[in-house]
Amino acid sequence: MHAPILTTGPGARGFNLYDGSLREAAFDSVKTAGDGSIGIQVSKPLETLTVHQDVEATGGAGMSLVKGVQVSLKAIAFSVKPGGTIEEVTIGGSLRTHGDGVVTVEVDKGATVKKLTVRGTIEALGAGSSRTAIEGKAPTV
């Protein structure tokens, strides 16, 4: 069994793929806590992503380092940015955010998720929060 990933603090990251490509990434669970924290973010090709349990982000808007520059970001559980392509995503538990005005699952324009299986639920637990923001190519969730 894989060990859980738990990161805390402003701009915390559980897993990201910002450069190169990867055939497979597998985790027990991914949890982040802190304003601007991100559970999983992909902006490059990834064949298979498997999380056996939950992916969870707790927080709201906060400062985070992006390409060497501090920017304001909102916490998010699962994000695919332009250039990110994932062939298959399997979440064994739930995708969840705890925070006001955040999004749980984001697939930006120029990003693709070909197959997405979430065995639990997709939850946005906060005032004014949304379960999904899909502008790219992704199956209906």
Side-chain angles (χ1 to χ4, degrees):
M1 180 64 108
H2 303 294
I5 294 175
L6 173 61
T7 60
T8 61
R13 297 287 191 276
F15 169 74
N16 56 47
L17 180 59
Y18 294 152
D19 198 13
S21 63
L22 192 60
R23 184 173 172 275
E24 179 180 5
F27 308 100
D28 176 64
S29 62
V30 178
K31 294 185 181 183
T32 61
D35 290 340
S37 68
I38 297 174
I40 295 173
Q41 190 164 65
V42 173
S43 60
K44 296 294 180 183
L46 174 61
E47 286 184 32
T48 304
L49 171 65
T50 304
V51 181
H52 298 285
Q53 296 183 51
D54 296 337
V55 177
E56 191 167 347
T58 300
M63 297 306 288
S64 184
L65 189 64
V66 177
K67 296 182 180 179
V69 178
Q70 288 284 335
V71 297
S72 180
L73 293 178
K74 293 183 179 183
I76 189 163
F78 178 66
S79 170
V80 185
K81 304 305 274 180
T85 300
I86 308 176
E87 297 294 323
E88 183 174 357
V89 178
T90 303
I91 308 297
S94 294
L95 290 165
R96 181 180 305 113
T97 52
H98 299 270
D100 294 342
V102 299
V103 174
T104 304
V105 176
E106 165 189 81
V107 179
D108 284 348
K109 185 175 183 177
T112 301
V113 175
K114 292 186 179 176
K115 182 178 179 184
L116 174 62
T117 302
V118 179
R119 294 202 173 101
T121 58
I122 299 174
E123 301 174 80
L125 305 173
S129 293
S130 301
R131 292 175 57 244
T132 61
I134 309 295
E135 294 180 3
K137 296 177 183 176
T140 303
V141 290

